Amino acid sequence: MADVASLGLYGLGTMGSALALNILDNGFALHVANRTPEVTERFRAEAGPLGAGLRVHDSLEAMAREMPAPRAIILMVPAGAPVDDAIERLCDALEAGDTIIDAGNTDFHDTRRRTAMVEARGLTFIGMGVSGGEEGARYGPSIMVGGTPAAYGKIKPVITAIAAKFEGEACADHLGPDGAGHFVKTVHNGIEYADMQMLAEAYGLMRYGGGMTPAEIGARFEAWDQGALKSYLVEISGKVLQAVDRETGHPAVDVILDSAGQKGTGRWTVIEALKMGQSASAIEAAVGARGWSSEKEARVAGEEILGTRRGAVEIAAETYEQALLAARIIAYAQGFRILGAASEEYDWALDFARIAEIWRAGCIIRSALLDDISEAFRGEMPQGALIFAPAFAARLRESLPALRAVVAAAVQAGHPVPAFSAALAWIDTMAQARGTTDLIQAQRDFFGRHGFVRLGGDAGSHGPWWE
Ligand code: 6PG
């Protein structure tokens, strides 16, 4: 263990203190500090009997000074300026061989920039994606590490110990250099956005088109969680839909404003996808839907002005289940396409099977599908596309009619299903050998002499409109 670093953690907010307790619970010594020392003291009390290996410090600098070398300090502060500020202070306080770890939801471009800056100053930097919310942080998150293998080596024992376990195997790994860990976490969140949106679309259809109560829909989610849709998000959706508000006695969801927040990771996924010439349409739709949801006043006015009323839909429970399965496969597939594009663009050599494996437990998108996805990436995969892997192509062939039926019924009756429709449009596009962009190319050539590839002929050809 000579090379293993002494461990410090800065930032004892909800996630920071949960992760700190997890580290202590696994028998590791830990130094902690917080911007406000009162919080550190409160944490000491909270740690109770777990506090045997705990050392608290008044400031980040004091902690860095008093930790034995080599040191590894985990930053659990909000993404953005607070991370830059902590790094700046640590660069002055640490020495060669020490490591700074940013464990927040950071934009991977910032991680790349910080890695270069920190390493130029003789220190090591790790960008670490951590998923699983508060409970995950406390009892076992999924951990996506970006940095050098040597840097990971210094913290690997603690990271694998605190991570979630899938059949005894740690859901944590070193995935690539600099921004790779944060990028994988960002795409994880993009998939999370799409999956959440699709579940919400199914809920909306069952409720406002099928006349079911939240509790009835919740019970359906609970049943689906025993089958092919088994996943954390289906499980918690079942629970929240069956929960009752103590104050009013109404379903808990009915006292919640239908306007969703977002901190950026979903949007970044879409932005990066577009920058690399990809379109993660289901994720895009989910990000967009959150944006529309925040226009509450406009929607209230719109209901009056446009006068569109949502009609009834009759869709069987099994059809919803199959539609959700198809849509989920598509969302994962789009996420992995973005990972593939980024891996090429940044030369990360990402191991997709491994990524699916470390998402099997601890993280928010954990689901029964991920084990099959990791297997698919280790097997035959035409065009390197998950949707063409034999097991997934077969599942899609079986479940797509249900997705089509749900989208058709929803559209006909005036229910918005942006993620379902976007997912279906992508898969329908991918199932056509000849599409319709011949006309787009002709239009481009007509108005701008852009040229096109003539079938069986040359690139840079022009149409008769130029003769
Ligand atoms: C996780 C979550 C977590 C958080 C995201 C999403 O993997 O544990 O993704 O990181 O919930 O930040 O947040 P927003 O929905 O607010 O963008």
Side-chain angles (χ1 to χ4, degrees):
M1 302 271 281
D3 256 329
V4 175
S6 68
L7 204 63
L9 186 146
Y10 181 66
L12 291 167
T14 310
M15 294 293 286
S17 47
L19 199 69
L21 289 174
N22 184 355
I23 294 169
L24 291 166
D25 211 0
N26 276 283
F28 293 93
L30 182 68
H31 298 253
V32 297
N34 193 72
R35 192 168 50 87
T36 43
E38 305 81 65
V39 173
T40 321
E41 279 314 317
R42 211 180 310 142
F43 177 75
R44 192 210 294 270
E46 193 190 335
L50 290 180
L54 178 69
R55 290 280 313 276
V56 304
H57 304 274
D58 281 347
S59 68
L60 180 59
E61 289 80 357
M63 178 168 83
R65 251 193 329 267
E66 288 166 42
M67 286 169 63
R71 310 162 183 86
I73 296 183
I74 303 176
L75 302 178
M76 292 295 288
V77 297
V83 178
D84 282 316
D85 173 62
I87 290 173
E88 199 46 49
R89 290 160 63 194
L90 281 176
C91 281
D92 292 334
L94 297 177
E95 54 193 37
D98 292 342
T99 306
I100 302 174
I101 304 161
D102 171 18
N105 272 329
T106 289
D107 184 334
F108 84 109
H109 291 297
D110 286 336
T111 307
R112 284 165 67 79
R113 169 179 62 76
R114 289 168 181 151
T115 303
M117 191 272 284
V118 168
E119 298 197 343
R121 292 172 75 164
L123 305 172
T124 317
F125 193 77
I126 284 182
M128 188 167 91
V130 179
S131 176
E134 185 184 351
E135 199 187 314
R138 174 65 184 88
Y139 298 104
S142 167
I143 305 179
M144 295 145 258
V145 179
T148 63
Y152 180 54
K154 288 187 197 163
I155 55 163
K156 188 175 172 183
V158 63
I159 297 302
T160 49
I162 64 170
K165 307 289 179 301
F166 182 85
E167 293 173 359
E169 201 185 306
C171 289
D173 213 340
H174 171 252
L175 301 177
D178 52 67
H182 275 145
F183 189 83
V184 172
K185 174 60 171 51
T186 296
V187 172
H188 162 284
N189 283 23
I191 298 170
E192 171 185 304
Y193 271 53
D195 209 32
M196 290 167 75
Q197 173 66 23
M198 288 158 172
L199 293 172
E201 289 175 11
Y203 151 71
L205 275 173
M206 288 186 270
R207 181 154 195 197
Y208 303 110
M212 290 172 71
T213 65
E216 287 165 345
I217 302 166
R220 222 175 235 192
F221 276 95
E222 200 181 313
W224 289 339
D225 191 39
Q226 306 306 311
L229 286 177
K230 184 171 177 52
S231 58
Y232 175 69
L233 284 170
V234 168
E235 179 197 333
I236 63 164
S237 304
K239 286 185 175 147
V240 300
L241 286 168
Q242 293 181 80
V244 172
D245 176 51
R246 280 210 195 97
E247 214 176 292
T248 59
H250 294 315
V253 281
D254 284 0
V255 302
I256 300 174
L257 179 70
D258 56 330
S259 172
Q262 50 180 315
K263 293 201 251 346
T265 44
R267 192 166 49 232
W268 299 339
T269 308
V270 174
I271 291 171
E272 296 308 326
L274 290 172
K275 276 193 200 162
M276 294 184 294
Q278 302 276 327
S279 165
S281 59
I283 300 173
E284 239 162 72
V287 174
R290 286 205 197 179
W292 295 337
S293 82
S294 68
E295 296 177 35
K296 178 70 178 176
E297 276 177 36
R299 288 188 290 115
V300 170
E303 184 167 313
E304 194 61 39
I305 297 166
L306 300 172
T308 313
R309 294 287 173 263
R310 290 176 286 200
V313 293
E314 254 187 69
I315 300 169
E318 305 73 55
T319 308
Y320 279 116
E321 187 180 16
Q322 286 298 305
L324 279 164
L325 183 65
R328 173 176 281 175
I329 292 172
I330 292 167
Y332 278 120
Q334 292 190 337
F336 276 100
R337 262 165 59 89
I338 303 170
L339 290 177
S343 185
E344 268 184 36
E345 176 96 10
Y346 300 101
D347 215 5
W348 283 337
L350 293 178
D351 179 342
F352 308 117
R354 190 70 195 121
I355 292 168
E357 275 170 6
I358 66 171
W359 285 350
R360 287 178 303 183
C363 69
I364 303 294
I365 63 167
R366 61 186 184 260
S367 79
L369 268 188
L370 282 159
D371 204 27
D372 302 338
I373 293 179
S374 66
E375 218 171 276
F377 274 112
R378 294 198 198 288
E380 180 205 344
M381 193 176 276
Q383 306 290 316
L386 183 62
I387 52 171
F388 298 147
F392 282 90
R395 280 192 194 203
L396 282 170
R397 282 193 297 268
E398 202 179 297
S399 56
L400 278 173
L403 180 59
R404 202 176 298 292
V406 167
V407 171
V411 169
Q412 194 64 41
H415 298 264
V417 282
F420 277 154
S421 344
L424 184 62
W426 179 58
I427 212 79
D428 278 343
T429 302
M430 295 312 292
Q432 307 300 323
R434 177 138 176 103
T436 56
T437 40
D438 44 352
L439 178 59
I440 307 286
Q441 287 297 77
Q443 290 162 341
R444 292 177 67 239
D445 186 56
F446 192 102
F447 63 63
R449 234 189 224 274
H450 292 286
F452 51 77
V453 179
R454 189 181 175 88
L455 289 177
D458 297 329
S461 295
H462 296 288
W465 41 86
W466 281 108
E467 277 159 20

